Amino acid sequence: MSRIPLMAGNWKMNLDHLEATATVQRLHWALQDANFDFNAVEVAVLPPFTDLRSVQTLVDADKMSIVYGGQDVSINPAGAYTGEISARMLVKLGCKYVVVGHSERRQFHGETDKLIGGKAMAAVLSGITPIVCVGEALAIRKRGEHVAYTLAQIDAVFGEMAQDLAPRAVIAYEPIWAIGTGEVATPADAQEVCGAIRERLASLYGRQAAWQMRILYGGSVKASNVASIMAEADVDGGLVGGASLDPAEFAKICRFAEHIA
Ligand code: PGA
């Protein structure tokens, strides 16, 4: 398998900059103690903006292999956009990734697929990898329309991106009903949608590009369920919320390969 799995911890609006450095330090120690192979699984943390400088300083000073990124980015490069953070600012802080279109931003900030596609494009143009979030609400799943709904999000978001740059994105399939609820999708549920997303990416960008793109699953991922989800063919990692705030638990999630039954 040529795709290196990515485990990304989405801290959301948790942990101040002092807690952030303590958490990253403990995560690093937990992985180091377990002789973790950082070349086999990429480990990322996605802290609040106010933590990024402290995380950068720590990661650089201790030459950690943990990478990091932001949880959102402006569609605009610079200017009179109060409260916004540009992709260039994130690059300056050493960010490798940025989340765009998380369901909480779609829900609480009215973000549209068009805006999200623009943000993803702003990220790739600056050299940051966007983690593009898609996924259906419970009512849509109950109607059996989750695949069509999620693919329509993919079409709309990626329609805003240049054909040659879009394959640099990572996708995160996060069924909204599984986020923060303890309600995890079954491995088959995750595979059904992640597989359909890869097929759609193949028709947009060709088989080879689609084969290389990483598709994450997110929604109540824990150490106890990660291995079975990661065993699915088209799941290349996890976007982990609550469980990533506990460095011991997140380290176990990153070590999923050791507990595949
Ligand atoms: P959760 O969040 O792991 O707490 O369900 C996932 C996410 O929202 O990215």
Side-chain angles (χ1 to χ4, degrees):
M1 165 143 154
S2 60
R3 299 184 296 268
I4 295 174
L6 169 62
M7 286 300 165
N10 174 15
W11 292 0
K12 309 192 180 184
M13 195 172 72
N14 295 294
L15 308 182
D16 63 31
H17 70 289
L18 300 175
E19 293 162 336
T21 47
T23 302
V24 171
Q25 187 76 74
R26 284 167 60 203
L27 174 63
H28 173 72
W29 283 331
L31 291 169
Q32 222 177 25
D33 287 352
N35 289 321
F36 183 75
D37 180 1
F38 285 95
N39 295 316
V41 179
E42 191 174 21
V43 178
V45 292
L46 307 164
F49 291 135
T50 51
D51 297 358
L52 286 172
R53 176 65 174 152
S54 305
V55 170
Q56 177 190 36
T57 305
L58 174 67
V59 165
D60 284 359
D62 289 9
K63 297 190 173 43
M64 293 179 180
S65 300
I66 294 168
V67 298
Y68 53 91
Q71 297 174 14
D72 186 28
V73 66
S74 177
I75 190 172
N76 298 298
Y81 302 102
T82 302
E84 297 270 276
I85 301 289
S86 72
R88 200 182 73 87
M89 293 169 179
L90 296 178
V91 170
K92 276 276 180 195
L93 287 167
C95 289
K96 180 165 183 190
Y97 292 102
V98 67
V99 178
V100 295
H102 191 278
S103 61
E104 287 148 17
R105 294 213 60 88
R106 291 174 183 265
Q107 187 184 345
F108 303 132
H109 301 272
E111 293 201 4
T112 62
D113 289 324
K114 189 174 165 58
L115 176 73
I116 293 158
K119 289 182 171 191
M121 192 60 198
V124 287
L125 283 173
S126 295
I128 304 189
T129 301
I131 301 176
V132 175
C133 299
V134 292
E136 82 287 352
L138 186 58
I140 295 165
R141 172 154 293 254
K142 281 191 171 153
R143 290 203 296 272
E145 293 165 2
H146 47 285
V147 173
Y149 180 88
T150 305
L151 294 183
Q153 287 181 318
I154 293 283
D155 288 345
V157 172
F158 283 87
E160 299 296 317
M161 298 185 74
Q163 183 82 11
D164 57 330
L165 297 178
R168 296 186 191 170
V170 169
I171 290 135
Y173 168 59
E174 298 205 307
I176 295 168
W177 48 271
I179 295 177
T181 57
E183 193 74 45
V184 63
T186 66
D189 289 337
Q191 171 57 29
E192 180 192 25
V193 183
C194 292
I197 290 172
R198 196 175 312 280
E199 279 302 310
R200 179 57 55 95
L201 295 171
S203 66
L204 291 171
Y205 306 115
R207 286 236 152 253
Q208 196 181 335
W211 174 254
Q212 285 167 2
M213 290 175 76
R214 287 183 293 183
I215 305 174
L216 315 182
Y217 168 79
S220 299
V221 171
K222 299 191 251 325
S224 59
N225 59 30
V226 64
S228 58
I229 294 168
M230 287 303 294
E232 295 294 340
D234 289 297
V235 179
D236 307 314
L239 185 55
V240 184
S244 73
L245 298 173
D246 174 350
E249 174 76 6
F250 190 49
K252 275 191 210 154
I253 291 172
C254 296
R255 295 168 59 201
F256 68 90
E258 296 167 36
H259 39 104
I260 284 180

